[in-house]
Amino acid sequence: MSVDTTPLQTSPEILPDDWATSLDNIVSSDLPALEEHFGYLKALGLDYGWGPTAFIEYLLEHVHIWTGTPWWASIVLSAFVVRLALFKLNVNAADQAGRLAKATPQLKPIQEKAAAARAIQDTQTMLALSGQAKAIMKAEGVSYLKLFGPVIQVPLGYGTFRLLQGMTRLPVPGLDDGGLLWIRDLTISDPFFTLPLATSLLMYFTFKDGQKGGETGASGTSSMSPGMRITFTYGLPMLSFCFMSFWPACVQLTFATTSVIAFGTSMLFRNPGTRAFLGISPLPTPPSMQPSTPYRGVMNVYQPPSSENAAPEKPKGVIGGAVADLKGAAKQVLGQARDMQDRKARSGGRLTPGELRRAKAYEEKRKRELETEKWEAGGRRGGGGR
């Protein structure tokens, strides 16, 4: 029995003419574009369930479809909508900050006593002082719940970051050419670092005005230590610039927009007329350094020339002012550290380092005085003998 080993012959006429025989043809074939509609981002695979990210996704998608704006404008408008929705919380926080500023002169001595009691672990005194502080805040109408209401912006900011990062990874159609000016592609970072630099500077100036209340506009409410103030004023903007420099431009854009709104809000809440119009507690007036007297006049007092007032101080600028602020804050940190060390030493019944230095200086001075008196007494006795 013989087996036919002749290979099978296939005819090209068997396959239709339009049959795609190349993988390149399949990949390069035009896919039908997905029409933008509500639920469009979820249809692309961006399904975050529920939470802050899902809320921002819902908001951004509706703003983009309703307004018909490109993605950069939709991102900016969404940031404004979020801050507008939370504006009442910011007003409440500014009002509470003004009330707290009014109560701060009464609370400061209590806080100092509480720190001293904490150093010696006097629980009874600490509880009594805590009750006094609560009574003062209740009388002034201070509510920490309203004061920290704007903290809700933190999870919303994280949700925005997460959503835009997900949109960049796809990327969502239109995001790679939906930018403006020199930032046409929103899926890559700003090539000139303009957005991260602007965000960091605005953050710096907002935190730098901590004496003026920052975003709430109320002065004297900051209970942060100098170290924490340095961290927020200088460390946070620098870290922000370092991280934001590598983010996609769409993420940089939304955080830059938020920083602009925050800075504008801080300027708005410092205006007495705006505070009165919005029903916000007025800012306390700092006590005048001049004594109250019915007599008015000008007294010219001679001051000897010195190197300090010989020439007017030159403007320091942003960098010079930042260096001066860092030096001043460092001195405050060292001063507070010495005070804390003195309180601990005093609580243990020992002399503080400052008291030891003063005692040593007094002993040396007294020793010199005794030697001088002894020498003068010896001279008088010698003179009387002759």
Side-chain angles (χ1 to χ4, degrees):
M1 183 177 181
S2 61
V3 179
D4 186 7
T5 59
T6 304
L8 296 175
Q9 299 293 328
T10 58
S11 175
E13 287 80 8
I14 297 177
L15 298 176
D17 295 337
D18 58 350
W19 185 267
T21 58
S22 173
L23 182 61
D24 295 335
N25 294 336
I26 297 176
V27 174
S28 63
S29 61
D30 294 332
L31 297 176
L34 185 62
E35 183 181 358
E36 293 183 351
H37 60 279
F38 298 126
Y40 166 67
L41 295 178
K42 283 188 178 181
L44 292 175
L46 298 174
D47 189 354
Y48 295 98
W50 60 275
T53 307
F55 170 75
I56 296 297
E57 180 182 22
Y58 179 88
L59 174 64
L60 178 59
E61 186 178 66
H62 280 68
V63 169
H64 180 64
I65 294 176
W66 278 343
T67 61
T69 52
W71 280 114
W72 75 265
S74 300
I75 291 171
V76 172
L77 288 174
S78 298
F80 271 96
V81 169
V82 170
R83 291 304 297 252
L84 184 62
L86 300 178
F87 184 72
K88 178 58 178 175
L89 295 180
N90 285 278
V91 170
N92 292 339
D95 178 65
Q96 293 299 316
R99 296 175 184 273
L100 183 59
K102 185 178 178 182
T104 297
Q106 306 175 58
L107 293 173
K108 190 172 182 179
I110 296 178
Q111 292 172 350
E112 293 175 353
K113 293 178 182 178
R118 191 181 303 109
I120 60 176
Q121 298 181 353
D122 188 351
T123 307
Q124 186 175 359
T125 302
M126 289 172 58
L127 292 175
L129 293 172
S130 177
Q132 295 179 18
K134 290 180 179 178
I136 293 174
M137 289 190 294
K138 185 177 180 180
E140 296 294 342
V142 178
S143 171
Y144 279 109
L145 181 63
K146 294 182 178 180
L147 183 62
F148 292 102
V151 175
I152 194 176
Q153 296 171 126
V154 175
L156 293 177
Y158 170 74
T160 303
F161 172 82
R162 188 182 177 197
L163 172 66
L164 294 177
Q165 286 279 26
M167 293 175 62
T168 303
R169 293 190 188 101
L170 285 178
V172 171
L175 201 62
D176 54 352
D177 59 354
L180 75 161
L181 300 179
W182 67 92
I183 313 173
R184 300 303 306 175
D185 189 351
L186 295 177
T187 63
I188 61 176
S189 58
D190 181 358
F192 299 109
F193 303 97
T194 307
L195 292 176
L197 180 61
T199 304
S200 301
L201 287 176
L202 288 170
M203 191 179 299
Y204 164 74
F205 284 114
T206 302
F207 284 125
K208 184 179 183 296
D209 291 330
Q211 294 84 5
K212 300 178 182 178
E215 191 172 346
T216 60
S219 60
T221 61
S222 177
S223 58
M224 291 188 298
S225 63
M228 287 295 295
R229 194 175 296 114
I230 291 175
T231 301
F232 275 92
T233 306
Y234 302 101
L236 197 58
M238 287 189 291
L239 285 176
S240 174
F241 176 79
C242 294
F243 282 102
M244 284 187 62
S245 297
F246 303 98
W247 289 352
C250 57
V251 184
Q252 296 174 344
L253 182 61
T254 188
F255 280 92
T257 305
T258 303
S259 298
V260 171
I261 299 172
F263 183 74
T265 303
S266 66
M267 298 295 292
L268 189 68
F269 287 158
R270 288 179 207 151
N271 187 285
T274 303
R275 297 180 72 91
F277 176 76
L278 296 174
I280 302 175
S281 178
L283 299 177
T285 304
S288 176
M289 300 301 295
Q290 299 294 334
S292 57
T293 173
Y295 303 101
R296 296 179 180 271
V298 178
M299 179 180 293
N300 296 323
V301 181
Y302 171 76
Q303 293 183 353
S306 63
S307 59
E308 295 181 358
N309 53 19
E313 185 178 0
K314 297 181 179 179
K316 301 176 181 178
V318 175
I319 298 178
V323 173
D325 291 342
L326 284 172
K327 290 182 179 179
K331 291 181 180 179
Q332 292 181 8
V333 172
L334 293 176
Q336 286 192 351
R338 292 195 195 98
D339 293 342
M340 186 177 298
Q341 187 178 5
D342 291 348
R343 286 196 298 267
K344 289 183 179 179
R346 192 179 293 111
S347 63
R350 305 189 305 272
L351 293 177
T352 65
E355 292 173 343
L356 289 173
R357 288 193 298 270
R358 289 191 293 270
K360 185 177 180 180
Y362 175 78
E363 290 176 358
E364 293 177 353
K365 179 182 177 182
R366 185 58 181 162
K367 184 178 179 180
R368 289 194 298 268
E369 290 176 351
L370 290 175
E371 290 177 352
T372 303
E373 292 176 359
K374 184 178 179 181
W375 180 80
E376 291 177 351
R380 286 195 297 269
R381 285 196 300 270
R386 289 192 298 270

